[in-house]
Amino acid sequence: MRTLPEPFAAWFAGRGWAPRAHQLALLEAARRGESALLVAPTGGGKTLAGFLPSLIDLHEAPRDGLHTLYISPLKALAVDIARNLTAPVEEMGLPIRIETRTGDTPQNRRARQRENPPNFLLTTPESLALLLTLPDAGSFFGGLAAVVVDEIHAIAGTKRGDQLALGLARLGTLAPGARRVGLSATVAHPDPLRRYLSPTGGVQDVALVVGEGGAEPRLDILLPDGRLPWGGHMGLASMPEVYRRIREAGVTIVFVNTRAQSELCFQALWKMNDDNLPIGLHHGSLTVEQRRKVEAAMAAGRLRAVVATASLDLGIDWGAVDQVVQVGAPKGVARLLQRIGRANHRMDEASEAVLVPANRFEVIECTAARQAIAAHELDGDPPRPGGLDVLAQHILACAVAGPFLPDDLYAEVTRAAPYARLARRDFDDALRFVEDGGYALQSYDRFRKLFRDAQGYVHVKTTAVARQLRMNLGTIVETPLMKVRLRGGGVLGEVEEWFVSTLTPGDCFIFAGQLLRFEGLDTTACLVTRGGEGEPRVPAYAGSRMPLTTYLAARVRAILADPKAWKALPAPVQEWLRLQQKQSELPPRDGLLVETFPRGEKWFLVAYCFEGRLAHQSLGMLVTKRMEKLGMAPLGYLATDYVLAAWCAFEPTGVERLFEEDILGEELEEWMAESSMLRRTFRNIATIAGLIEKNHPGQEKSGRQMTMNADLIYDVLRKHEPDHILLRATRQEAAAGLTDVARIGLILARAKAGGIRHRALDRVSPLAVPALIEEGREWVAGGAEDALLAEAEALVADATLGTDAFNEVLANVTEAIPPRGDRDRVRRPRDRDRNRRYNRFVRTAPKNLGS
Amino acid sequence: MTAAPLHMAGQRLMLDPAGVCTWPAQKLLAVTDLHLEKGSHFASRGQFVPPYDTRETLDRLGAVIRKWNPQKLVLMGDSFHDRHGCARLPPADCATLKRLLEGREVTWLLGNHDPEPPEGLPGTAVTELRIGAILFRHEADPARLPLGVIEVSGHFHPKATMPVRGGGVTRPCFLTDGRRLMLPAFGAFTGGLDIRDPAIARLFHRGGRAFLIGQERLYSFATGPLRGAMRAMEAEAASAP
């Protein structure tokens, strides 16, 4: 193996460094002109390894023009890397100009970059997509020698990843000689990433370089003093111990799973913060300025701790983080490892991490995750096919860049790994969708965006189309948000619109680490003042909770099924499992345990599926539909990451019929129509594909009026053209595991293969308790919406003895509220006679007028 | 579907969960904000939303017209999404619409989206329609109503959220305070404006009652000051041992 040439060797030696093996290996690969994927833990000098060949190349043969393109999922990362690279370049006097280009880059600098490109351009997938729509993209990228994709494990497999893959395929056409370098954290399966990086979609033409492993992380599990909670996900019971840990360490990141949890933990820590430790808060709904402020304070060492969500999973290297605390179950091994890696970005020192399970099931999950990390096993999702919505956007972007032949573009697109198996029919339908909507009813002919010339080239019809596309490029779709503004003050951040819609003036809630009182709406924002009385609510965000990964779920099942493995668990948890063994039985490794028992004038059914909350939610919808058909009179259900619990009026018998694979048939069709998850999926797809605009030229400010409600489009399209490409894309996404249908399939297959163990008990089993504690705090809306409305209306009538007023107690019953003690929250079944008493405004009317 | 009777100024109006209001004594059916040809309007700006909205809206309108068989039909404005909407009606949809209007006394109230009378369709176009105590207009007038006059309007596409277990359910709604009645938008592609938005709230500053549209019936709750009174009751109940 060769060593570094001068002046690089001297520069390394000057800092007391020796080039690492993987840095030299990447250099070798570059000399051979090969693409390469580097898999190494954080802190291994990965970024420098990626740039070293380019630095040396330009040192040996200086030239003008773009040489290396660096793409990172984070703007901040691109900016930070640019700063870090500038140091060696200046110290060695290399003739290299480095610039960044992101959404924040001012217009005049962008124009200058186009005329006189830097040698290294550091950018994001979105900015690359924009660059590729420029008519001079060919000359701009023509001389490209290398493309470096950072944090590739975090991009591949997402929609941004699809967009980047298509962009890389485009670059492959514009600059066929450019080699590619992928930089990845440790992953379970590197081959899909090699395929993703490859210019042909094949594994063989990307060399795999594995960096030496760092020191093993030190991983503790922290239990609260006193009783171990049965339920809840917030982990607030452990906050005193977490606070103690923060006080004893230098700098701590406290990772939590949801924004609501971050607000609550932040509040809890400050309540006991007698030492006035500087503790900050960081989550994705805070304003950018606030997040930057916290990040800067952290980097400058002014904070002792920051409570953060996934918004800090990736990011610039702070160096000085001493420990990571994970509150709540980790949900996935790779994700946990990424978070642990945020402590001590120095490879030779062990990362310190503490897991803080919030309830008994989470203790088992944390134990499983710790064992997986010790065994060097990771979870990873298999690659899914690229989205047709992203393809549609790309096709329009290509047309904006210049005329193309459909055959050529199809060939280019299928060189991107996510689209390697793209059917020609899907490509043609996506193209037709871009042209005129692609509807069977061809009424938009005169509005078409594209036209074909005599040679078959596809052109954009007007320049307005290009402007419209550039304003809406990208694959990040946000749920409708509303700004939170202090009356007479600034904006604190954004919460989801639906949360605001459940507030009445006077309600208080916790946001941005403050107690706020809702005052009212103005045209653009939710107005608040500081302070407020009563029990505060916490905004929850749809879909913000990560479901348990399949891999970790399997490990949890294995621990449960094997009493010998319980030694690793704390005594109260062992005790709990032994009790379960005695009173019912343990969920088998294969097969499905279903318990039924009466409680509080209702019958409960608890199924131990272990496929994550999202899958259980959908399964709950399907199973209760089936219960209805079988006459069990289901009243409701709830889903946790581990179990599905449903309750009904009559004893469930013949439970095997509830978990037959055919519920994915007819019940699924009904579910498709109602599922709020599929509606959300459709909304994202319609936005990315360009059916719904995020922005419209000339009307940037009045976005609300310009957008059309995706739910309405979904309903009309499902009814009139169920096979439209966007509905196909929605179903494809549902089936590919971005949502949950695939995992429901796993549950049903396991039930079929391993058999269903049905235990008819006379009372609740120990393992079912955590789920039942959640009853009433979690309810899955969807098809049951009308039933919920009726219930709310009837409850108002009951609670107020007919007084004409409205009950808001129900509004407060949300998942985000911490449990108030261990009160039994099982609700009395509704009194059927009273229920029938309609509101005095609503009575039956004659069928026909005047008859 | 079960319609709900609403008594205003001695008259009985019926609120149909399909999103229309009828006045049996007059054999009258009022519907607002059809926004026909909204799809093609968006398409002309480069957003190819499904071209089936007019068909869908007319299907639904046909169903309520068959159900109530009214003599008088009041289309309360914004019947077309823009002033050229009527000209863009596909021939088949145009024929359907004419069939629905045939033999009825049709009044087009002019709205902000369709300020001119539709060409080639039967009926008279006016800005307001007064029958007895009831005044139909497209957009509610914030000025005080003359004594004894009831205002029925559309324009704002009211929707409301009713808190239920685990969050809230949002639906288009009727909104009334006994003097005014605001109808939900009927068109297939019409969204909604929260009734707490200042534009609507200032019209109902004394509070009122919202009727959310359900699949088979309406669900109602009180809005406005009454909710504050309820909160006080709850606080009392909560502090009791």
Side-chain angles (χ1 to χ4, degrees):
Chain A
M1 188 169 281
R2 50 192 298 157
T3 51
L4 292 177
E6 289 304 336
F8 295 88
W11 186 79
F12 265 75
R15 338 201 112 216
W17 294 354
R20 293 181 191 270
H22 62 253
Q23 291 173 331
L24 293 171
L26 277 195
L27 200 54
E28 275 304 305
R31 298 263 184 213
R32 290 193 301 270
E34 272 180 16
S35 294
L37 172 71
L38 170 60
V39 175
T42 34
K46 242 187 324 196
T47 320
L48 188 56
F51 277 102
L52 209 48
S54 297
L55 292 170
I56 293 175
D57 190 24
L58 276 174
H59 168 66
E60 288 170 355
R63 66 173 168 92
D64 283 338
L66 188 62
H67 179 283
T68 296
L69 182 70
Y70 165 92
I71 301 149
S72 138
L74 289 179
K75 257 193 300 207
L77 203 55
V79 175
D80 193 55
I81 300 284
R83 211 169 25 232
N84 293 347
L85 272 179
T86 306
V89 165
E90 281 178 359
E91 284 162 25
M92 287 185 271
L94 302 175
I96 297 174
R97 191 153 56 89
I98 303 169
E99 287 181 19
T100 58
R101 186 185 182 102
T102 68
D104 300 338
T105 309
Q107 200 58 46
N108 58 353
R109 193 181 318 155
R110 287 183 204 207
R112 210 171 56 228
Q113 281 173 348
R114 274 174 74 181
E115 272 169 34
N116 182 12
N119 300 113
F120 290 0
L121 185 66
L122 284 63
T123 188
T124 59
E126 287 72 24
S127 290
L128 171 64
L130 264 174
L131 274 170
L132 286 171
T133 65
L134 299 175
D136 50 3
S139 57
F140 187 83
F141 290 110
L144 197 65
V147 184
V148 180
V149 182
D150 203 353
E151 310 271 13
I152 191 171
H153 62 284
I155 297 187
T158 65
K159 293 221 169 171
R160 294 180 81 199
D162 293 346
Q163 186 183 38
L164 179 59
L166 291 167
L168 290 174
R170 192 103 261 254
L171 285 176
T173 304
L174 299 178
R179 63 190 167 79
R180 300 177 184 177
V181 181
L183 308 176
S184 168
T186 316
V187 287
H189 313 291
D191 277 359
L193 289 184
R194 287 166 76 189
R195 225 173 263 129
Y196 178 86
L197 194 61
S198 157
T200 61
V203 177
Q204 68 290 343
D205 47 23
V206 176
L208 176 66
V209 177
V210 179
E212 60 258 69
E216 296 285 322
R218 268 198 294 277
L219 214 56
D220 278 347
I221 294 181
L222 184 67
L223 300 177
D225 267 345
R227 262 179 79 262
L228 190 54
W230 286 85
H233 304 283
M234 297 297 172
L236 298 180
S238 296
M239 282 305 120
E241 283 79 14
V242 171
Y243 180 69
R244 192 169 45 73
R245 288 273 189 158
I246 291 173
R247 210 172 44 197
E248 284 164 8
V251 177
T252 306
I253 305 182
V254 180
F255 276 115
V256 297
N257 290 334
T258 63
R259 288 171 230 186
Q261 193 185 6
S262 73
E263 295 277 0
L264 287 170
C265 288
F266 179 76
Q267 289 281 326
L269 287 173
W270 268 97
K271 254 181 210 155
M272 58 187 88
N273 192 356
D274 297 331
D275 306 292
N276 253 325
L277 302 178
I279 298 176
L281 175 67
H282 194 284
H283 64 70
S285 293
L286 301 176
T287 58
V288 178
E289 298 78 56
Q290 264 180 307
R291 275 181 277 158
R292 296 291 163 270
K293 237 162 61 191
V294 170
E295 286 161 23
M298 194 73 178
R302 289 198 306 271
L303 287 183
R304 285 289 294 280
V306 60
V307 180
T309 60
S311 59
L312 274 192
D313 276 5
L314 297 178
I316 55 172
D317 195 345
W318 287 331
V321 177
D322 299 287
Q323 72 175 349
V324 163
V325 176
Q326 161 71 36
V327 183
K331 300 299 163 203
V333 183
R335 180 161 176 260
L336 177 61
L337 214 53
Q338 174 101 31
R339 289 184 159 187
I340 294 172
R342 302 291 280 151
N344 263 337
H345 258 184
R346 287 179 295 273
M347 205 163 85
D348 316 318
E349 290 170 35
S351 301
E352 291 276 352
V354 188
L355 300 180
V356 184
N359 62 46
R360 291 163 183 238
F361 263 122
E362 291 193 353
V363 174
I364 304 177
E365 191 181 320
C366 287
T367 309
R370 185 157 73 163
Q371 289 172 353
I373 286 176
H376 296 276
E377 280 180 37
L378 292 177
D379 38 17
D381 293 324
R384 48 165 202 92
L388 295 175
D389 49 347
V390 183
L391 177 66
Q393 194 185 84
H394 183 70
I395 289 174
L396 185 57
C398 288
V400 164
F404 65 80
L405 286 173
D407 288 350
D408 292 351
L409 186 59
Y410 175 69
E412 179 186 296
V413 161
T414 51
R415 283 196 286 274
Y419 295 92
R421 286 153 184 254
L422 178 72
R424 182 62 194 243
R425 175 195 170 214
D426 286 339
F427 176 83
D428 287 339
D429 282 359
L431 177 57
R432 264 209 62 207
F433 167 77
V434 175
E435 279 182 298
D436 68 354
Y439 298 103
L441 180 71
Q442 290 177 297
S443 54
Y444 292 162
D445 198 50
R446 71 203 122 141
F447 304 128
R448 49 176 53 247
K449 283 185 195 167
L450 307 177
F451 71 92
R452 297 180 198 219
D453 66 15
Q455 281 99 47
Y457 279 90
V458 176
H459 298 252
V460 178
K461 217 166 143 194
T462 63
T463 49
V465 174
R467 240 186 108 204
Q468 203 175 354
L469 169 86
R470 291 200 181 103
M471 287 186 72
N472 289 285
L473 211 60
T475 59
I476 300 171
V477 182
E478 278 163 359
T479 37
L481 295 171
M482 201 163 227
K483 287 195 176 72
V484 178
R485 181 178 314 150
L486 272 175
R487 179 164 273 172
V491 173
L492 296 173
E494 292 177 315
V495 294
E496 287 185 11
E497 237 176 55
W498 74 262
F499 175 75
V500 178
S501 75
T502 65
L503 295 173
T504 342
D507 282 353
C508 61
F509 61 100
I510 297 176
F511 182 71
Q514 308 178 37
L515 184 62
L516 302 170
R517 183 176 191 276
F518 175 62
E519 298 291 346
L521 299 173
D522 74 2
T523 43
T524 58
C526 149
L527 286 180
V528 297
T529 50
R530 286 209 176 88
E533 283 164 24
E535 190 169 340
R537 299 175 54 195
V538 184
Y541 298 83
S544 59
R545 264 165 75 174
M546 302 273 293
L548 182 68
T549 63
T550 316
Y551 169 78
L552 196 51
R555 266 193 172 266
V556 169
R557 268 203 312 276
I559 292 181
L560 282 174
D562 177 16
K564 284 199 287 296
W566 298 355
K567 281 198 296 289
L569 300 171
V573 176
Q574 291 191 33
E575 181 71 14
W576 177 51
L577 296 181
R578 268 195 294 275
L579 218 60
Q580 170 73 13
Q581 210 174 11
K582 209 168 106 202
Q583 295 185 9
S584 171
E585 67 179 58
L586 291 159
R589 218 183 165 122
D590 310 299
L592 177 66
L593 171 66
V594 178
E595 294 172 341
T596 54
F597 50 85
R599 183 176 170 77
E601 298 174 51
K602 282 184 277 194
W603 284 91
F604 283 82
L605 176 145
V606 178
Y608 298 87
C609 312
F610 295 99
E611 280 301 340
R613 198 167 129 270
L614 296 181
H616 295 165
Q617 268 183 4
S618 306
L619 181 67
M621 188 97 73
L622 302 179
V623 165
T624 45
K625 275 193 192 304
R626 178 65 56 105
M627 287 172 113
E628 218 166 285
K629 282 185 188 156
L630 296 176
M632 296 174 190
L635 299 167
Y637 69 93
L638 69 85
T640 72
D641 261 331
Y642 315 105
V643 308
L644 164 69
W647 47 99
C648 48
F650 304 109
E651 179 173 8
T653 51
V655 300
E656 292 78 15
R657 279 146 77 206
L658 298 176
F659 296 93
E660 273 164 6
E661 278 180 311
D662 65 355
I663 62 169
L664 279 176
E666 62 183 290
E667 272 96 350
L668 182 68
E669 261 310 303
E670 292 170 37
W671 172 74
M672 294 273 289
E674 294 162 353
S675 159
S676 55
M677 202 164 336
L678 276 203
R679 284 174 179 272
R680 199 154 55 229
T681 305
F682 176 78
R683 192 172 71 83
N684 292 348
I685 284 175
T687 308
I688 293 169
L691 191 66
I692 300 168
E693 291 183 316
K694 289 183 276 189
N695 305 296
H696 191 72
Q699 269 144 351
E700 287 84 348
K701 290 286 182 294
S702 58
R704 196 170 294 261
Q705 277 148 16
M706 303 319 298
T707 59
M708 198 190 286
N709 188 327
D711 283 357
L712 301 172
I713 297 177
Y714 180 73
D715 289 336
V716 167
L717 195 53
R718 260 180 56 85
K719 186 163 162 198
H720 294 274
E721 197 169 338
D723 199 37
H724 189 262
I725 182 167
L726 293 192
L727 291 178
R728 292 208 318 263
T730 305
R731 282 191 284 266
Q732 183 199 17
E733 213 170 290
L738 265 193
T739 53
D740 40 3
V741 179
R743 294 188 74 174
I744 296 176
L746 285 179
I747 298 170
L748 301 178
R750 214 161 42 230
K752 197 176 169 193
I756 289 181
R757 307 273 313 149
H758 176 201
R759 298 288 301 234
L761 308 173
D762 54 2
R763 60 192 167 116
V764 57
S765 76
L767 226 48
V769 170
L772 293 205
I773 285 175
E774 298 201 18
E775 194 209 352
R777 285 197 288 126
E778 226 173 313
W779 173 276
V780 184
E785 269 192 11
D786 268 63
L788 288 173
L789 284 172
E791 183 193 66
E793 194 187 60
L795 269 168
V796 172
D798 282 0
T800 60
L801 306 168
T803 316
D804 206 17
F806 193 74
N807 184 341
E808 283 156 73
V809 172
L810 291 170
N812 296 326
V813 181
T814 69
E815 189 239 317
I817 294 292
R820 295 170 209 154
D822 276 334
R823 247 182 318 141
D824 190 343
R825 290 174 152 268
V826 177
R827 201 172 270 140
R828 208 160 39 82
R830 288 173 302 182
D831 180 331
R832 286 178 182 278
D833 286 335
R834 283 171 117 190
N835 206 18
R836 225 175 280 130
R837 189 186 62 206
Y838 289 136
N839 187 292
R840 67 190 164 92
F841 281 82
V842 184
R843 286 192 196 91
T844 313
K847 281 272 180 289
N848 211 323
L849 282 180
S851 57
Chain B
M1 276 203 198
T2 313
L6 179 71
H7 294 270
M8 293 175 101
Q11 295 296 324
R12 190 176 63 128
L13 301 179
M14 302 296 292
L15 308 183
D16 188 300
V20 303
C21 162
T22 65
W23 185 1
Q26 290 284 330
K27 295 199 172 186
L28 177 149
L29 188 148
V31 59
T32 188
D33 297 277
L34 301 183
H35 285 265
L36 298 174
E37 289 304 300
K38 184 169 177 180
S40 58
H41 176 80
F42 270 68
S44 71
R45 304 184 325 142
Q47 275 182 271
F48 298 131
V49 299
Y52 305 106
D53 58 316
T54 297
R55 190 190 285 185
E56 174 68 20
T57 305
L58 293 180
D59 279 358
R60 287 191 218 160
L61 185 62
V64 291
I65 287 182
R66 273 192 301 279
K67 175 178 170 191
W68 296 96
N69 193 22
Q71 265 172 21
K72 296 177 187 151
L73 188 60
V74 184
L75 298 143
M76 294 170 47
D78 290 359
S79 303
F80 291 92
H81 187 69
D82 58 313
R83 64 179 73 218
H84 309 296
C86 184
R88 283 200 312 271
L89 268 184
D93 292 334
C94 190
T96 310
L97 180 57
K98 280 182 178 155
R99 257 198 319 278
L100 290 176
L101 305 181
E102 205 170 26
R104 300 178 211 282
E105 195 183 309
V106 178
T107 309
W108 302 88
L109 298 188
L110 300 176
N112 49 316
H113 281 261
D114 54 353
E116 288 150 32
E119 257 176 60
L121 291 171
T124 37
V126 293
T127 49
E128 288 184 358
L129 174 68
R130 169 102 183 243
I131 301 177
I134 299 189
L135 177 64
F136 295 90
R137 50 162 67 124
H138 177 62
E139 181 178 349
D141 186 343
R144 267 176 78 107
L145 291 162
L147 208 64
V149 173
I150 298 298
E151 178 194 71
V152 178
S153 66
H155 179 67
F156 287 107
H157 305 197
K159 69 169 182 187
T161 302
M162 190 156 160
V164 298
R165 281 201 265 165
V169 174
T170 303
R171 295 283 174 85
C173 67
F174 295 90
L175 185 61
T176 181
D177 62 356
R179 299 293 309 278
R180 298 181 198 274
L181 170 65
M182 191 180 280
L183 266 50
F186 190 80
F189 278 172
T190 51
L193 182 67
D194 195 300
I195 58 168
R196 295 166 312 154
D197 189 280
I200 298 181
R202 67 182 182 141
L203 294 162
F204 294 87
H205 51 88
R206 290 175 303 142
R209 178 162 279 274
F211 294 85
L212 271 68
I213 289 183
Q215 275 161 19
E216 292 300 322
R217 50 170 282 220
L218 299 169
Y219 301 93
S220 85
F221 70 85
T223 67
L226 287 170
R227 299 177 75 173
M230 187 58 212
R231 183 192 311 283
M233 272 179 59
E234 269 167 28
E236 231 167 82
S239 61

